Amino acid sequence: MKETQHTKTLKLCTGALLLAAGILLPQVFHMIGGQAMGGMFLPMHLPVFVAGLLLGPFYGCAIGVITPIISFFVTTMPPAAKLPFMLIELATYGLMAGLLRKKNLNIYISLILAQIAGRLTNALALVCAAYLFHLEVPAVITVGTAVVTGIPGLIIQLVLVPAVVILIERVLHFGNKPANL
Protein backbone atom coordinates (compact mmCIF):
# COMPACT_ATOMS: atom_id res chain seq x y z
CA MET A 1 0.00 0.00 0.00
CA LYS A 2 1.48 3.32 -1.11
CA GLU A 3 1.93 6.05 1.47
CA THR A 4 0.24 9.36 0.83
CA GLN A 5 2.12 12.65 1.09
CA HIS A 6 0.11 13.38 4.25
CA THR A 7 1.24 10.09 5.84
CA LYS A 8 4.88 10.73 4.90
CA THR A 9 4.71 14.22 6.39
CA LEU A 10 3.02 12.92 9.54
CA LYS A 11 5.71 10.24 9.96
CA LEU A 12 8.52 12.75 9.40
CA CYS A 13 7.09 15.22 11.94
CA THR A 14 6.42 12.46 14.47
CA GLY A 15 9.94 11.13 13.94
CA ALA A 16 11.40 14.59 14.54
CA LEU A 17 9.43 14.94 17.79
CA LEU A 18 10.60 11.51 18.95
CA LEU A 19 14.20 12.43 18.08
CA ALA A 20 13.89 15.60 20.17
CA ALA A 21 12.35 13.60 23.03
CA GLY A 22 15.25 11.14 22.83
CA ILE A 23 17.69 14.01 23.38
CA LEU A 24 15.69 15.90 26.02
CA LEU A 25 14.37 13.07 28.21
CA PRO A 26 17.83 11.87 29.33
CA GLN A 27 18.74 15.44 30.25
CA VAL A 28 15.70 15.69 32.52
CA PHE A 29 16.63 12.43 34.24
CA HIS A 30 20.29 13.48 34.59
CA MET A 31 19.25 16.84 36.10
CA ILE A 32 17.05 15.09 38.66
CA GLY A 33 19.34 12.27 39.73
CA GLY A 34 22.64 12.40 37.88
CA GLN A 35 24.02 10.05 35.28
CA ALA A 36 23.00 6.96 37.27
CA MET A 37 19.33 7.82 36.61
CA GLY A 38 19.93 7.33 32.89
CA GLY A 39 21.19 3.79 33.40
CA MET A 40 18.32 3.01 35.71
CA PHE A 41 15.38 4.49 33.78
CA LEU A 42 16.74 4.27 30.19
CA PRO A 43 14.99 7.44 28.97
CA MET A 44 16.64 7.55 25.53
CA HIS A 45 15.26 4.10 24.75
CA LEU A 46 11.61 5.17 25.08
CA PRO A 47 11.33 7.35 21.94
CA VAL A 48 13.33 4.82 19.91
CA PHE A 49 10.94 2.00 20.79
CA VAL A 50 7.95 4.23 20.07
CA ALA A 51 9.47 5.17 16.70
CA GLY A 52 10.03 1.56 15.71
CA LEU A 53 6.60 0.34 16.79
CA LEU A 54 4.72 3.35 15.43
CA LEU A 55 6.67 4.48 12.37
CA GLY A 56 8.32 1.24 11.26
CA PRO A 57 11.83 -0.20 11.00
CA PHE A 58 13.37 2.58 8.90
CA TYR A 59 12.40 5.38 11.28
CA GLY A 60 13.06 3.23 14.34
CA CYS A 61 16.58 2.41 13.18
CA ALA A 62 17.29 5.96 11.99
CA ILE A 63 16.15 7.51 15.27
CA GLY A 64 18.14 4.86 17.15
CA VAL A 65 21.29 5.92 15.27
CA ILE A 66 20.77 9.68 15.12
CA THR A 67 19.57 10.29 18.70
CA PRO A 68 22.74 9.28 20.57
CA ILE A 69 24.96 11.00 17.98
CA ILE A 70 23.16 14.35 18.28
CA SER A 71 22.91 13.94 22.05
CA PHE A 72 26.66 13.34 22.26
CA PHE A 73 27.52 16.47 20.24
CA VAL A 74 24.99 18.67 22.06
CA THR A 75 25.27 17.34 25.62
CA THR A 76 28.39 15.06 25.62
CA MET A 77 26.09 12.23 26.72
CA PRO A 78 26.40 9.32 26.27
CA PRO A 79 30.16 9.34 26.96
CA ALA A 80 32.35 8.83 23.89
CA ALA A 81 33.43 5.34 24.99
CA LYS A 82 29.79 4.20 25.26
CA LEU A 83 28.51 5.98 22.15
CA PRO A 84 29.22 3.28 19.52
CA PHE A 85 27.68 0.55 21.68
CA MET A 86 24.64 2.59 22.59
CA LEU A 87 24.17 3.54 18.95
CA ILE A 88 24.24 -0.14 17.92
CA GLU A 89 21.87 -1.11 20.72
CA LEU A 90 19.36 1.68 20.02
CA ALA A 91 19.46 1.07 16.26
CA THR A 92 18.66 -2.58 16.93
CA TYR A 93 15.81 -1.63 19.26
CA GLY A 94 14.19 0.61 16.66
CA LEU A 95 14.78 -1.73 13.73
CA MET A 96 13.57 -4.87 15.48
CA ALA A 97 10.54 -3.19 17.07
CA GLY A 98 9.51 -1.97 13.62
CA LEU A 99 10.16 -5.27 11.85
CA LEU A 100 8.35 -7.33 14.48
CA ARG A 101 5.37 -4.98 14.54
CA LYS A 102 5.18 -5.16 10.73
CA LYS A 103 4.74 -8.92 11.13
CA ASN A 104 1.54 -8.11 13.08
CA LEU A 105 2.93 -9.48 16.32
CA ASN A 106 1.36 -8.37 19.55
CA ILE A 107 2.80 -4.98 20.56
CA TYR A 108 4.09 -6.36 23.87
CA ILE A 109 5.78 -9.35 22.24
CA SER A 110 7.34 -7.04 19.63
CA LEU A 111 8.66 -4.78 22.38
CA ILE A 112 10.05 -7.60 24.54
CA LEU A 113 11.76 -9.31 21.59
CA ALA A 114 13.23 -5.96 20.49
CA GLN A 115 14.50 -5.36 24.05
CA ILE A 116 16.23 -8.75 24.02
CA ALA A 117 17.66 -8.25 20.52
CA GLY A 118 19.11 -4.86 21.48
CA ARG A 119 20.84 -6.15 24.58
CA LEU A 120 22.21 -9.19 22.73
CA THR A 121 23.50 -6.95 19.95
CA ASN A 122 25.19 -4.76 22.55
CA ALA A 123 26.89 -7.82 24.05
CA LEU A 124 27.99 -8.99 20.58
CA ALA A 125 29.39 -5.53 19.82
CA LEU A 126 31.42 -5.63 23.03
CA VAL A 127 32.79 -9.06 22.15
CA CYS A 128 33.70 -7.91 18.63
CA ALA A 129 35.37 -4.76 19.93
CA ALA A 130 37.42 -6.75 22.43
CA TYR A 131 38.42 -9.76 20.35
CA LEU A 132 38.39 -8.56 16.75
CA PHE A 133 39.62 -5.01 17.24
CA HIS A 134 41.56 -5.55 20.49
CA LEU A 135 39.90 -2.55 22.13
CA GLU A 136 39.66 -2.21 25.87
CA VAL A 137 35.92 -2.34 26.49
CA PRO A 138 33.80 -3.34 29.46
CA ALA A 139 33.32 -7.08 29.86
CA VAL A 140 30.21 -8.60 28.30
CA ILE A 141 28.94 -9.28 31.82
CA THR A 142 28.29 -5.53 32.06
CA VAL A 143 25.32 -6.08 29.73
CA GLY A 144 23.79 -8.36 32.35
CA THR A 145 24.55 -5.79 35.04
CA ALA A 146 22.95 -3.10 32.88
CA VAL A 147 19.82 -5.24 32.53
CA VAL A 148 19.54 -5.63 36.31
CA THR A 149 20.25 -1.93 36.92
CA GLY A 150 17.76 -0.99 34.20
CA ILE A 151 14.84 -3.09 35.51
CA PRO A 152 12.88 0.08 36.46
CA GLY A 153 13.43 1.37 32.92
CA LEU A 154 12.38 -1.95 31.38
CA ILE A 155 9.17 -1.86 33.42
CA ILE A 156 8.52 1.73 32.35
CA GLN A 157 9.09 0.67 28.72
CA LEU A 158 6.59 -2.17 29.03
CA VAL A 159 3.97 0.15 30.52
CA LEU A 160 4.50 3.44 28.69
CA VAL A 161 5.66 2.48 25.19
CA PRO A 162 2.61 0.39 24.20
CA ALA A 163 0.27 2.94 25.79
CA VAL A 164 1.86 5.83 23.88
CA VAL A 165 1.91 3.91 20.58
CA ILE A 166 -1.74 2.85 20.92
CA LEU A 167 -2.81 6.36 21.89
CA ILE A 168 -1.00 7.96 18.95
CA GLU A 169 -2.35 5.33 16.54
CA ARG A 170 -5.89 6.01 17.68
CA VAL A 171 -5.63 9.80 17.75
CA LEU A 172 -3.63 10.27 14.54
CA HIS A 173 -4.99 7.19 12.72
CA PHE A 174 -1.52 5.88 11.89
CA GLY A 175 -1.78 3.06 9.37
CA ASN A 176 -5.59 3.32 9.36
CA LYS A 177 -5.84 0.17 11.46
CA PRO A 178 -6.59 -0.45 15.12
CA ALA A 179 -3.67 -1.16 17.41
CA ASN A 180 -2.69 -4.84 17.59
CA LEU A 181 -2.61 -5.63 21.28
Side-chain angles (χ1 to χ4, degrees), residues 160-177:
L160 280 184
V161 170
V164 168
V165 170
I166 291 166
L167 179 67
I168 293 172
E169 283 179 341
R170 289 188 179 154
V171 170
L172 298 178
H173 306 291
F174 262 98
N176 297 318
K177 64 175 183 169

Side-chain angles (χ1 to χ4, degrees), residues 83-95:
L83 178 63
F85 303 102
M86 193 159 177
L87 188 148
I88 290 167
E89 182 178 20
L90 290 174
T92 302
Y93 286 152
L95 177 69

